[in-house]
Amino acid sequence: MMMCTAAPFALPAGLDGRAALSMCGHVDEHYDDAAEMDVLLGDIDYVVHAHPITTDLTPEPSAPPMVPSAEFVALPRRRASCLEAALRGIKSVKVAPVAVANDDDGPTTPVAELEAPFSYGGDDCPCTSNFDTETALKKRPDPSEAYDADIDATFRKMEKDLGERPSGDYLWTTQEGRMTMLDRAELVTWMYDFSRLGRFNLLPPGALHRAVSYVDRFLSVKKIAFDAHDLRLLSAVAAFAASKYDESRTAWLLIDADTIARDVGCTRCEVIDAERDLVAALGYRLSGPTAYTFVDHFTRREQDCSVVRSLAHHLADMTLLEYRCVPLMPSAVAAAAILVARCVVNSAMPQEELWSEEMIKMTGYNTEDLTDITETIYDMHGLRGVWPGCAQMIENCVYRYSLPPR
């Protein structure tokens, strides 16, 4: 059986072969065999009327052809102008006879030969002469840019919230001098080993900053006995809570109360009680931004900045060892770390390009505002053989670097 690809619905009654050829747009002067089309139309009529399908929807043999009603044609069409423009952009269809390779001498099937449409990018395409897709995509704004100002404002507001900030002098006030800056540096070093180098090295990268913030905030409001076991338990549950906050879906696969109890040397109940005391002392407020958060936030628009970002994260980690950085804003610590990282990676770049007006606008700090923090970063590298954790962090950095002269 052969089908006509040029007639999407039943043809009107009384249509002869020559009219059908004209309706299909056939203009080839060398093919004028109207009888061929008459045979084809006869085959279609034979299939439709001589072999009806036994269903309730089968029309009667005398049923009129399916022609769109006047009411249907009169219905309004949405975006008619766009549809008309699209249809006018399609070149004409040429119907040509193609012989069927079989032994029968029956009628052939008209096959539509379509030339490449204009929409494929032809130079003479009327629908692309005034529209450049690539240019339109480049001009389209990044959806995240619309929320940059709101995200930045939220981070700035949260970092200034005193309810999520540690005290800058808790070693002498709350802890009454029983814990020194050196003791705190050793505690942070133990947390660094616990969260990065030991069995929990797959914890979220930002969990260390958040865990240290939790410990500083806890020690700012609650006095504890200076006991190595208690401090390690506090540090472990802080890392546990921070990892669950940063990556709640997979953290439980890497660390839980049983593993902490086994590593610290306590019972599971003691771990759970310690975690309850921690989050209660923090007022159940665990979402404050850290320096790690701001490093990612400030480098989100830079191109090819993976080295600068990674090195800035490392330098921000080193500031955790310094008690003098506790009262500083996380955004300022992150900006100083990025500045020093840029000086290391782009040492030959002029100072005005290292910290451009765009970076000043993005971070809210100029180089003079960051002088004290950058000096602290230099001091930490100078004390690598003395201060706990400095040499260890530098050794574990994925990059081998040296700070430029001050």
Side-chain angles (χ1 to χ4, degrees):
M1 182 183 70
M2 288 172 284
M3 300 296 295
C4 178
T5 59
F9 48 82
L11 297 174
L15 184 67
D16 60 1
R18 187 173 302 278
L21 288 174
S22 177
M23 181 177 182
C24 294
H26 178 67
V27 295
D28 194 344
E29 297 178 356
H30 299 287
Y31 176 69
D32 194 20
D33 192 356
E36 187 79 13
M37 182 60 72
D38 291 334
V39 173
L40 174 62
L41 296 177
D43 289 343
I44 296 176
D45 181 75
Y46 175 77
V47 171
V48 173
H49 298 293
H51 299 279
I53 302 174
T54 57
T55 62
D56 296 337
L57 300 179
T58 303
E60 296 295 334
S62 60
M66 297 178 61
V67 179
S69 63
E71 292 78 2
F72 178 81
V73 174
L75 289 176
R77 300 292 185 264
R78 299 181 62 182
R79 300 184 179 180
S81 58
C82 298
L83 178 60
E84 181 180 357
L87 293 177
R88 290 182 180 277
I90 302 176
K91 288 187 175 180
S92 300
V93 178
K94 179 181 179 181
V95 180
V98 177
V100 180
N102 54 26
D103 296 332
D104 300 334
D105 293 330
T108 59
T109 303
V111 179
E113 296 180 355
L114 299 178
E115 298 183 8
F118 287 129
S119 58
Y120 289 171
D123 296 335
D124 57 346
C125 176
C127 52
T128 59
S129 58
N130 298 323
F131 182 78
D132 190 345
T133 304
E134 294 184 0
T135 303
L137 292 177
K138 290 180 181 179
K139 292 181 179 180
R140 181 182 299 174
D142 189 339
S144 61
E145 294 181 1
Y147 303 98
D148 275 354
D150 294 337
I151 294 173
D152 187 80
T154 301
F155 282 161
R156 305 287 183 161
K157 182 178 180 180
M158 293 176 67
E159 74 167 346
K160 295 177 182 179
D161 188 354
L162 296 180
E164 298 194 24
R165 298 284 305 149
S167 172
D169 57 351
Y170 70 83
L171 292 181
W172 295 277
T173 54
T174 307
Q175 303 304 323
E176 299 178 351
R178 291 182 299 176
M179 184 178 184
T180 65
M181 292 189 293
L182 188 64
D183 296 329
R184 179 188 174 278
E186 292 177 347
L187 182 62
V188 174
T189 304
W190 187 90
M191 297 174 66
Y192 176 79
D193 294 338
F194 182 81
S195 61
R196 292 286 185 90
L197 304 179
R199 61 187 299 174
F200 308 113
N201 59 340
L202 295 179
L203 291 183
L208 178 62
H209 281 261
R210 196 169 297 280
V212 173
S213 175
Y214 291 169
V215 171
D216 286 333
R217 290 171 57 190
F218 181 87
L219 296 177
S220 298
V221 298
K222 191 169 184 179
K223 180 180 178 180
I224 65 172
F226 185 70
D227 180 80
H229 177 271
D230 294 341
L231 289 176
R232 288 190 176 186
L233 178 58
L234 171 64
S235 303
V237 297
F240 184 30
S243 64
K244 288 192 293 184
Y245 178 86
D246 285 334
E247 191 57 63
S248 59
R249 292 175 296 178
T250 59
W252 64 273
L253 297 173
L254 305 173
I255 181 174
D256 56 20
D258 293 325
T259 55
I260 292 177
R262 183 167 56 252
D263 281 41
V264 176
C266 61
T267 65
R268 185 176 186 275
C269 292
E270 289 178 328
V271 174
I272 297 176
D273 292 340
E275 185 180 14
R276 288 173 178 171
D277 292 341
L278 172 68
V279 296
L282 301 181
Y284 303 95
R285 304 177 67 176
L286 311 176
S287 59
T290 64
Y292 187 96
T293 307
F294 278 104
V295 168
D296 282 345
H297 181 61
F298 291 153
T299 58
R300 67 193 183 280
R301 297 297 177 205
E302 294 189 22
Q303 300 293 332
D304 301 328
C305 64
S306 58
V307 178
V308 173
R309 182 187 295 113
S310 179
L311 187 56
H313 279 312
H314 161 70
L315 298 175
D317 288 348
M318 294 193 65
T319 62
L320 296 174
L321 300 169
E322 178 54 69
Y323 176 72
R324 291 177 297 174
C325 294
V326 171
L328 300 178
M329 291 293 175
S331 59
V333 175
I338 296 173
L339 175 59
V340 176
R342 283 189 162 196
C343 293
V344 172
V345 176
N346 306 307
S347 57
M349 186 178 294
Q351 181 68 28
E352 57 272 12
E353 296 183 17
L354 284 174
W355 205 248
S356 61
E357 291 295 330
E358 182 180 357
M359 288 301 299
I360 294 176
K361 181 180 179 180
M362 179 179 295
T363 63
Y365 301 99
N366 54 40
T367 54
E368 290 77 12
D369 299 329
L370 306 175
T371 301
D372 293 340
I373 309 177
T374 55
E375 290 293 329
T376 300
I377 295 176
Y378 273 86
D379 292 342
M380 300 300 294
H381 286 75
L383 297 174
R384 67 175 66 184
V386 180
W387 202 253
C390 290
Q392 187 173 346
M393 287 189 177
I394 294 175
E395 182 66 24
N396 292 324
C397 181
V398 295
Y399 301 105
R400 293 294 175 260
Y401 68 95
S402 60
L403 299 182
R406 304 190 187 190

